[in-house]
Amino acid sequence: MASVTSLAATVNQRVADALSAALPEAGAADPLLRRSDRADFQANGLLALAKKLGGNPRELAGKVVDAIGADGLLKDVEVSGPGFLNITVADTAITGTLAARAADDRLGVPYADAPGTTIIDYAQPNVAKEMHVGHLRSAVIGDALRNMLDFTGEKTIGRHHIGDWGTQFGMLIQYLIENPDQLAPAADIDGEQAMSNLNRVYKASRAVFDSDEEFKERARKRVVALQSGDRQTLDLWQRFVDESKIYFYSVFEKLDMEIRDEEIVGESAYNDMMAETARMLEESGVAVRSEGALVVFFDDIKGKDDKPVPLIVQKADGGFGYAASDLSAIRNRVFDLRATTLLYVVDVRQSLHFRMVFETARRAGWLNDEVKAHNMGYGTVLGADGKPFKTRAGETVRLEDLLDEAVQRAAEVVREKAQDLTEDEIQERAAQVGIGAVKYADLSTSPSRDYKFDLDQMVSLNGDTSVYLQYAYARIQSILRKAGATEPAAHLELELAPAERALGLHLDAFGDTVAEAAAEYAPHKLAAYLYQLASLYTTFYDQCPVLKADTPQQVENRLFLCDLTARTLHRGMALLGIRTPERL
């Protein structure tokens, strides 16, 4: 079905038409409509318009009110203050629009005007290394963005640019050649065993590498063998990658995220492209030779000595680094995958690197007005002390440990509230609540900001937490079950109580909010909307009896508001990658 136009958009158009009719000399003027505490909406555009036309804003506002006219949409329009328009929508318009949303599987969320293909680079762990708290944000933010973009009609392709290439693999592979019994076959182990194996091999090889110069030299030669495609070396490298993937999948499964194997495309995938990338940049003059290295300079990027800081495409010894693989990845994503947008969800500390990479790609003609790149730089996860989150011993927190503790804390909350749940059901809910709590704490913060990791607050039933939202959803499901055979139904003839109106107007904003949050890559805006929705529902629940309402029609109408609220919470939370248990 066609998308449902929000009341805000309908009212905005009505006022804009009245502006044009009453003040034709103003042309196409924006009413500057927004939600208001004094009415349903307030139009502020007449103040700027009066200044432009040299008129009295209250007089101009009066002409616009006369031109708006009366119908079933607006209940009241009055001039306020120096020339604002306070606009109240008719109850029938609110209920009617909500009924249209309820009839739409998408709840009125529009498709993007010109959808394209977005490559999302997110969730980038490193082969043979444990995932830590620093890997959390890229995975959670990237997954939510992908859900939102998919839902608004964009074609998304995931890319997990894992660290699977470079010097450390010479060390690991050489050690494995000399100690072939140290790595178990990947098919025989689970995620925890895989990481245990990899940790053991990494620590053992690092110890030998640091203490044995002859081994160090053999390891360096093994890097050359890897890069040149030696079969034995590649086979052993593949074992490290395969065992690491088992571990990755176990962690992402705990995060309740789907990671597709074909989308794990690490640095190694671009190895064969890097020499050509360097040649293309040098022949086009984008990159130049400096002290034997191939580099790109930027006038506005300088170091402490005021000398230009270059992007190094190829080192003086002929080796390639991150810039070469990132630029090769752009070529692949633009020309082979036909991307129209490249979206990178990476640590904000890499912002300068990607700024230089994107500018280099623009100079080369790989990025342009039709193909854009955006760096979604995210902030740091902090501990309660406001410093980067560490263990008491000062070590980086393992991601698995953090997620396990979140589930354990959530189990305590669920067990306290559980009335008719078995222990297995409690554990199932605990996983949904605990992982949801971690995700929501991340997503409810603007991605560019740091945030404090506080599990006690995250699993609280009070405040801006996913548990508060999940509890609101579960409460509604309980009401709908108790309603028995009484079905939710919209009754346009009913007058709405203030709490019903507030809830209804917020429900009507869901489509616009999702569209805006997806277009701006702003999952925190959707999270804020959902928290306000749960808060408004709590007020409605407290002030408006549902099953004990005055008339059968009012019972059905309030059940309708409950049902639409639950569906909106469920859909919105799903877009953020968070589950909504039917019972808590």
Side-chain angles (χ1 to χ4, degrees):
M1 64 177 288
S3 62
V4 180
T5 302
S6 68
L7 280 171
T10 302
V11 172
N12 192 72
Q13 188 60 54
R14 176 63 56 83
V15 178
D17 291 344
L19 271 169
S20 297
L23 308 168
E25 66 274 23
D30 186 349
L32 298 179
L33 192 78
R34 62 175 180 82
R35 288 298 308 276
S36 171
D37 293 334
R38 300 189 176 188
D40 295 334
F41 300 99
Q42 187 175 80
N44 299 335
L46 283 162
L47 297 180
L49 192 59
K51 188 175 182 180
K52 175 183 174 183
L53 298 178
N56 182 299
R58 282 188 64 88
E59 290 180 4
L60 296 181
K63 292 180 180 179
V64 174
V65 170
D66 293 339
I68 286 177
D71 62 11
L73 174 64
L74 303 180
K75 179 180 180 181
D76 184 47
V77 182
E78 65 175 14
V79 180
S80 173
F84 302 127
L85 292 182
N86 284 342
I87 302 167
T88 302
V89 181
D91 289 350
T92 55
I94 295 175
T95 306
T97 303
L98 294 183
R101 288 192 181 280
D104 179 14
D105 289 340
R106 296 176 55 80
L107 300 177
V109 177
Y111 286 104
D113 291 335
T117 298
T118 295
I119 311 292
I120 304 184
D121 192 324
Y122 69 110
Q124 309 105 344
N126 294 308
V127 166
K129 289 185 179 179
E130 284 186 301
M131 293 177 69
H132 53 76
V133 67
H135 291 111
L136 178 66
R137 300 208 72 185
S138 177
V140 170
I141 295 170
D143 187 55
L145 288 173
R146 192 169 186 186
N147 292 338
M148 291 160 59
L149 289 169
D150 280 339
F151 194 64
T152 54
E154 185 80 355
K155 176 185 177 183
T156 67
I157 300 173
R159 278 295 177 266
H160 310 295
H161 193 87
I162 62 172
D164 65 351
W165 210 241
T167 304
Q168 69 168 336
F169 290 96
M171 176 187 78
L172 289 164
I173 293 166
Q174 188 61 35
Y175 180 82
L176 200 57
I177 287 174
E178 297 176 13
N179 301 273
D181 59 336
Q182 293 296 301
L183 203 59
D188 300 338
I189 59 176
D190 60 20
E192 189 173 338
Q193 291 172 315
M195 199 62 250
S196 176
N197 272 344
L198 292 167
N199 260 344
R200 186 180 65 253
V201 172
Y202 185 86
K203 289 178 180 178
S205 64
R206 170 57 70 180
V208 178
F209 187 86
D210 290 341
S211 62
D212 186 336
E213 288 298 322
E214 291 183 359
F215 176 81
K216 185 178 290 187
E217 184 58 31
R218 293 196 298 274
R220 286 170 175 159
K221 289 180 179 178
R222 188 59 57 184
V223 176
V224 177
L226 175 64
Q227 293 178 339
S228 61
D230 175 71
R231 177 46 52 194
Q232 180 195 24
T233 305
L234 280 174
D235 287 345
L236 290 171
W237 168 82
Q238 190 65 53
R239 286 185 66 186
F240 278 110
V241 173
D242 291 343
E243 195 147 330
S244 295
K245 282 185 178 181
I246 293 171
Y247 164 68
F248 296 159
Y249 289 138
S250 72
V251 177
F252 288 126
E253 185 177 0
K254 282 189 178 183
L255 266 173
D256 198 17
M257 282 175 49
E258 179 189 3
I259 297 293
R260 303 168 196 171
D261 192 69
E262 69 273 13
E263 294 184 344
I264 297 179
V265 184
E267 294 169 41
S268 60
Y270 308 106
N271 186 55
D272 294 341
M273 296 178 64
M274 290 194 283
E276 185 181 13
T277 295
R279 178 187 59 78
M280 294 171 72
L281 292 173
E282 186 170 17
E283 289 181 355
S284 64
V286 173
V288 296
R289 291 286 169 181
S290 176
E291 299 180 13
L294 183 65
V295 302
V296 182
F297 287 107
F298 309 88
D299 292 337
D300 58 340
I301 301 176
K302 297 181 180 180
K304 294 180 181 178
D305 56 1
D306 206 35
K307 292 183 179 179
V309 176
L311 180 71
I312 302 174
V313 178
Q314 187 176 23
K315 292 177 281 189
D317 64 4
F320 296 103
Y322 295 126
S325 62
D326 285 330
L327 287 162
S328 298
I330 288 177
R331 286 178 52 214
N332 169 256
R333 295 168 186 185
V334 171
F335 298 109
D336 298 332
L337 301 179
R338 303 293 180 186
T340 51
T341 302
L342 306 180
L343 182 57
Y344 291 75
V345 187
V346 295
D347 193 309
V348 72
R349 289 170 290 188
Q350 297 185 53
S351 294
L352 179 60
H353 168 76
F354 278 102
R355 178 181 160 195
M356 293 193 289
V357 166
F358 295 163
E359 177 57 28
T360 299
R362 274 189 284 271
R363 292 180 187 180
W366 305 335
L367 296 176
N368 49 48
D369 290 342
E370 284 71 44
V371 185
K372 295 180 173 62
H374 179 72
N375 176 19
M376 188 79 184
Y378 56 82
T380 304
V381 181
L382 305 175
D385 58 1
K387 298 178 181 179
F389 198 23
K390 302 281 186 181
T391 65
R392 289 183 178 178
E395 298 175 353
T396 302
V397 179
R398 295 172 70 241
L399 185 52
E400 277 189 296
D401 291 344
L402 183 150
L403 297 177
D404 288 343
E405 185 178 356
V407 173
Q408 182 181 340
R409 296 281 190 92
E412 296 170 6
V413 174
V414 174
R415 187 173 284 108
E416 183 181 333
K417 287 289 181 182
Q419 296 177 349
D420 54 353
L421 298 180
T422 66
E423 184 59 28
D424 286 345
E425 289 173 330
I426 288 173
Q427 292 302 322
E428 179 187 356
R429 302 295 192 283
Q432 296 175 352
V433 171
I435 300 303
V438 171
K439 288 184 174 182
Y440 184 84
D442 193 315
L443 295 169
S444 59
T445 303
S446 175
S448 61
R449 291 177 53 198
D450 300 342
Y451 79 96
K452 289 185 180 181
F453 194 93
D454 183 346
L455 269 180
D456 289 333
Q457 174 57 30
M458 289 178 185
V459 299
S460 172
L461 280 166
N462 301 310
D464 189 4
T465 68
S466 67
V467 191
Y468 178 70
L469 274 63
Q470 289 169 324
Y471 187 69
Y473 177 81
R475 173 187 277 172
I476 296 172
Q477 295 306 315
S478 175
I479 292 173
L480 294 174
R481 286 191 295 270
K482 290 176 182 176
T486 305
E487 293 287 335
H491 286 272
L492 276 66
E493 74 281 3
L494 290 180
E495 183 177 337
L496 299 176
E500 291 176 296
R501 289 180 57 83
L503 178 61
L505 286 166
H506 194 69
L507 283 167
D508 184 58
F510 180 62
D512 291 345
T513 301
V514 173
E516 179 183 328
E520 296 179 7
Y521 308 137
H524 64 289
K525 290 191 173 183
L526 176 56
Y529 169 89
L530 294 172
Y531 172 61
Q532 189 177 357
L533 176 61
S535 299
L536 288 168
Y537 179 79
T538 299
T539 302
F540 161 80
Y541 178 82
D542 291 340
Q543 296 182 5
C544 303
V546 178
L547 300 180
K548 294 182 179 179
D550 294 338
T551 67
Q553 292 79 13
Q554 198 173 49
V555 171
E556 291 176 347
N557 199 65
R558 287 180 177 174
L559 282 173
F560 164 74
L561 287 172
C562 288
D563 183 57
L564 186 56
T565 300
R567 289 173 60 194
T568 303
L569 282 169
H570 177 76
R571 172 65 71 188
M573 295 283 271
L575 291 176
L576 296 179
I578 300 173
R579 296 190 183 273
T580 43
E582 298 291 307
R583 301 171 187 262
L584 274 182

